[in-house]
Structures are given as C-alpha cells and as structure tokens.
Amino acid sequence: MSDSPESGPVKTRRDGAILEVTLDRPKANAIDLQTSRVMGEVFREFRDDPDLRVAILTGGGEKFFCPGWDLKAAADGDAVDGDYGVGGFGGLQELRDMNKPVIAAVNGIACGGGLELALSADMIIAAGHASFALPEIRSGTVADAASVKLPKRIPYHIAMELLLTGRWFDAEEANRWGLVNEIVPADQLMDRAWELARLLASGPPLVYAAIKEIVRDAEDSKFQDAMNRITQRQLKTVDVLYGSEDNLEGARAFAEKRDPVWKGR
C-alpha cells in the first residue's frame, strides 16, 4: 500500500509497520457511500498486510474529525442503507477479523457517525478542542452503532443521556467518562499518536491479535465459556499464538534477560 493520491478523500502514509489514514474531504470530512467504500478497502488492505501492525485514523484540517453521514450526498440520492462497502460505515465499524490495534486521533468535531467511527478504534486520543455528540435523535433517526457500543464503554446512565438528548460534550468530559484515553494540545496530537503507534508496533503482533479476538468473543459470553474457548485453543488467533515462534521467543528472551524480537509468526 503506497501513499494515496493527494486529490483523494482518503489519504494514507506508511512508515515502517504503521499506517496513517486521514479522512480529508472538505469542508467537514463527512462520509458518503463512495468515501466509505474507499475507507473499507484501505482498512482491509491494512488488516491483510503482514508488514503493517498499527493504524492511526484522523481527519484533515483542524476543525473536523468527522461529522458522520454526508447529508448533502443523501439529498442527492445516496441511500442511508446503501452499499457502504467492506467494513460497513467508514470501513472500520463492521470489518471482520480486524486483529490489529487502531488509534483514533480526534482532531476536532466527532459527531454522529464520526463518533461511532472513533468508537471503532481501540484507543482514542483527543485534541483539547475536540467535541462530541450523537445528534441523530434531533433528526428523527437512531445512532445505531453508538446505541450498541456506548453503554458498554461508559456508565449506562451517561450513555443513555447522550443518546437520548443528543447534547454536545467536550474532550474533558469525554476523558472523565473514559471515552478517550488522553487529551493533548492540538499541535501535539499527531506526534503523540505516532509515539503510541511506535510503542505498539514494537510489541508482539500475534498477542495483539489474540487479545482483540478474545475481547470480541467474550463480550457476550459467560466467563467460563470464554475461558474454555481460550484454553482449548478454539479461537484462531490463540491457536496461532500458542504454536508460534513468537510465543517461544517471549519465554527465551525473558530467560536470557534480553529484549524479544517479534517476527509475527
């Protein structure tokens, strides 16, 4: 995957094992069907490329991360239930077997589907001026993915308040409820995202994959059922990990008092 053309709505930059994905569709980085399909292809290629380990998702400009669905495109004929492409809305929300870490660097307004897109990441870093909302209620529709995810991420009553009122909240409140990992000055946002990405890229990719699959599988499972699937190697990523060179390398490096060298196999 090479750097994408500057004229496209989705720009990518690759540095070693890290892929930076920028949604850059002025004026507000809203997502129409075509942009969603492009994002899906980008994230599918990231998922399937063995040399890539971590992705950063951000928005172009300083005001918007993403406001979600492009209502102007909808008025021109884009169906809200149309073909969003692989991975569903924004290419990430429903992408199966995404077993690599994704960091959302929220550089401004993240509302509606834009907030849902950020929720699809594993970690969220926000600029100090970032703001959030789920305003679908005001236009007579439902924030479907947020209705599934948000009550599992923050206190139930807070999640329901945000869903039922559609009110705006700032980065400080998002951080207070644990919705974002940290807040940084806007001019340091991408530096911090890359710092975190490099830390993750230096870690064991097979372990990350197992962690992500275990978390997904256990979400609606009883504890013992989930543990049984892990210990009996019924999860693909766990089975691969337990039979891998990296699994042995971790033990050897510990015994030899050196840093491990992860190969992803």
Side-chain angles (χ1 to χ4, degrees):
M1 185 187 303
S2 59
D3 289 358
S4 62
E6 288 301 315
S7 59
V10 183
K11 297 177 173 60
T12 61
R13 180 165 73 95
R14 179 172 181 161
D15 185 352
I18 302 169
L19 180 71
E20 179 183 285
V21 181
T22 303
L23 174 60
D24 191 10
R25 191 167 179 264
K27 299 179 179 180
N29 298 333
I31 297 176
D32 62 357
L33 290 178
Q34 177 60 27
T35 301
S36 182
R37 291 193 287 266
V38 172
M39 294 177 73
E41 291 302 321
V42 167
F43 282 114
R44 176 164 64 181
E45 289 182 32
F46 164 71
R47 180 196 65 187
D48 296 341
D49 188 332
D51 294 325
L52 287 172
R53 297 188 178 185
V54 184
I56 300 168
L57 172 62
T58 193
E62 300 177 353
K63 185 175 181 181
F64 289 96
F65 172 74
C66 175
W69 178 238
D70 187 340
L71 294 178
K72 291 184 178 179
D76 290 337
D78 266 13
V80 70
D81 58 350
D83 178 13
Y84 291 109
V86 61
F89 182 80
L92 188 60
Q93 197 159 265
E94 300 172 62
L95 186 59
R96 295 177 63 86
D97 300 323
M98 174 55 95
N99 292 327
K100 298 177 180 180
V102 178
I103 301 165
V106 179
N107 57 302
I109 291 171
C111 63
L115 176 50
E116 291 176 325
L117 186 58
L119 289 171
S120 300
D122 301 293
M123 301 179 189
I124 302 175
I125 303 172
H129 69 283
S131 58
F132 307 85
L134 294 164
E136 284 86 345
I137 187 74
R138 299 175 185 175
S139 56
T141 189
V142 61
D144 47 12
S147 296
V148 175
K149 293 180 178 181
L150 199 62
K152 298 178 180 180
R153 308 286 180 84
I154 66 176
Y156 172 84
H157 295 101
I158 302 302
M160 292 304 291
E161 176 198 350
L162 299 176
L163 286 163
L164 293 172
T165 67
R167 73 171 176 84
W168 287 87
F169 56 105
D170 60 17
E172 291 290 344
E173 182 176 357
N175 184 245
R176 186 164 70 247
W177 299 124
L179 189 63
V180 303
N181 294 79
E182 59 182 288
I183 303 170
V184 296
D187 61 354
Q188 299 175 25
L189 178 66
M190 296 312 297
D191 286 343
R192 176 56 182 147
W194 274 87
E195 180 183 19
L196 181 56
R198 290 188 184 97
L199 173 64
L200 295 177
S202 70
L206 296 184
V207 177
Y208 293 157
I211 289 170
K212 290 200 66 172
E213 186 174 22
I214 288 169
V215 170
R216 287 197 308 271
D217 181 74
E219 191 169 29
D220 297 311
S221 300
K222 293 181 179 179
F223 174 78
Q224 196 58 56
D225 291 340
M227 287 300 299
N228 289 342
R229 283 193 289 275
I230 296 167
T231 57
Q232 295 170 21
R233 295 172 66 161
Q234 294 176 359
L235 301 180
K236 180 180 178 180
T237 57
V238 174
D239 185 51
V240 169
L241 171 64
Y242 286 170
S244 69
E245 292 180 31
D246 277 5
N247 196 236
L248 290 174
E249 169 65 7
R252 287 171 178 161
F254 178 82
E256 295 168 8
K257 298 181 180 180
R258 60 174 175 81
D259 292 333
V261 179
W262 308 117
K263 298 180 179 179
R265 61 177 187 265

